Each structure stands twice: as C-alpha cells, then as structure tokens.
Amino acid sequence: MTFSILARDEESGAIGCAAATGNLAVGAWVLRASAKAGAVATQGFSVSPLWGDDALIHLGKGASARDTVERLTAADSGRDRRQLSVLDCSGGVAAWTGSANTDHKGQIEGRGYVIAGNWLASEAVLGEMEAAFQSSAEKRADFGRRLLDTLAAGVAAGSDSRGTLSAAIKIVHPQRAPLDLRVDYDQDPLERLNTIYDLATTEPYASWINVVPTLEDPHRC
C-alpha cells in the first residue's frame, strides 16, 4: 500500500527517507531514521512498525543493512505479507518484499539508495522513481527536494493503485536538527508536503533550526 525511498546524500552525509500511500499516516507507520544508525521503511499488506524500531536498534549496534534485513525477516513468520527497506550510515542498502504482498510490488537497490513499493498501479512506478532520483543528482539539487521529486515521479507513474492520501519526509544528520514532515490525509498530500518543506527550509523557521541542539553540538542555543 506504499512506495518509499531511503537514501544517503553523498555530499553532506545526510540520511533521508520519504514515502507516500493511499492510506493514512504513512510517516508514522512506515518511516524510521536516526543519524546514529540509518533509515528504515516498513510497509506491506500487514505492516510491522516493530521491524522499523528493531532495525534501528540493530543498525545502532553496528549491523549492516543486509544483516539487519536477514535477521528481522528470518525471525518473523508473517514476513511474506510485509516489506522492509534498510539503509545503514555507510550507504549500504538491503530490502525484502514478501511474496504475499499485493501487486504490483518490488524493490530497487542502488548505490546509497533503495526504492520499494507494493499495491502499485503499475510496474513503472519504481523505475520512474529511480530515474527521477538519479536525474536530480546530476542537477545537484537540494537533497530534500530530490526525495520529494522522487515521490512525485512515483505519483505521476500511477502511484498507489488506490490513489495518494498521505506523504512524509524525514532527514537526519549529526550536525543538523532532524526534519520530520508529514501530511496524514489530504487529496493532494504531496503538494501540501512540498509547501511545508518550503516553510521549514526558509526564513524565519530556518534560522531557528540553526540554533537547535544536534548530536555533535548538544548544548548549542
């Protein structure tokens, strides 16, 4: 019921994730991210938020994306109805797509990114998302905007077969305050999310963010 992207920005080292769905509250259900560990997307016919929480624990202890996916899926008898994408802080990626998820479904693993989806309107959705993400890299676009444009490409290619009702983006970095934006139910959630992103990355909000404590500067003010 969801499509998502996890990615590491090679220039800044930021970890980002974004997702959209034809259901409610995709950010809360699907996305997890930590500047200390990496990013996770948990989705599927029977989504398991526990996978997201446990994946960050494993990554935080030094496990790779591949090891994390293998460990979580092997221990869960419901894995065939779930989908999991994992990105570690080094840019390593791995994904699982259970066979009992609703078509169209699949995943694409690339250098520093992983794109996955299920219940998609067409097989083209994931490929168009990857093309948009790669194209934006060549244009040296803003990292958050790249993630949002990747979601937009998925919507344009057919989106979730039920439409698009919620969208979210999350970006973490040890030297920056986290960005966590969500539209939980809207007839055009991606447009709303882009508007909120613009507000969050320009003045006056941007100046306030620059004094919020970070992992590497926990006492700044």
Side-chain angles (χ1 to χ4, degrees), residues 71-92:
R71 181 179 301 186
L72 291 177
T73 56
D76 189 343
S77 60
R79 58 186 173 270
D80 286 343
R81 287 177 172 246
R82 314 196 211 286
Q83 192 171 42
L84 174 67
S85 299
V86 177
L87 169 75
D88 58 44
C89 282
S90 67

Side-chain angles (χ1 to χ4, degrees), residues 2-6 18-20 41 43 83-86 94-97 104-109 113-118 120 125-126 129 151:
T2 305
F3 52 95
S4 62
I5 177 170
L6 312 179
Q43 51 203 53
Q83 192 171 42
L84 174 67
S85 299
V86 177
W96 161 269
T97 298
H104 295 283
K105 59 182 179 286
Q107 66 206 45
I108 298 175
E109 299 177 22
Y113 66 88
V114 55
I115 298 167
N118 63 90
L120 302 174
V125 172
L126 299 181
M129 291 175 66
L151 289 187

Side-chain angles (χ1 to χ4, degrees), residues 80-188:
D80 286 343
R81 287 177 172 246
R82 314 196 211 286
Q83 192 171 42
L84 174 67
S85 299
V86 177
L87 169 75
D88 58 44
C89 282
S90 67
V93 300
W96 161 269
T97 298
S99 60
N101 284 295
T102 305
D103 289 333
H104 295 283
K105 59 182 179 286
Q107 66 206 45
I108 298 175
E109 299 177 22
R111 178 180 173 182
Y113 66 88
V114 55
I115 298 167
N118 63 90
W119 211 324
L120 302 174
S122 77
E123 295 178 353
V125 172
L126 299 181
E128 290 298 315
M129 291 175 66
E130 181 183 39
F133 185 70
Q134 292 176 334
S135 175
S136 63
E138 297 171 359
K139 300 173 183 177
R140 303 178 69 86
D142 169 79
F143 181 51
R145 186 62 60 195
R146 291 182 64 196
L147 298 176
L148 293 173
D149 288 348
T150 300
L151 289 187
V155 171
S159 189
D160 184 313
S161 60
R162 300 161 299 168
T164 313
L165 291 175
S166 65
I169 183 171
K170 192 176 184 78
I171 300 175
V172 295
H173 190 287
Q175 297 176 346
R176 302 176 190 171
L179 180 75
D180 188 354
L181 307 176
R182 307 173 184 184
V183 176
D184 286 339
Y185 186 85
D186 192 85
Q187 291 304 308
D188 195 346

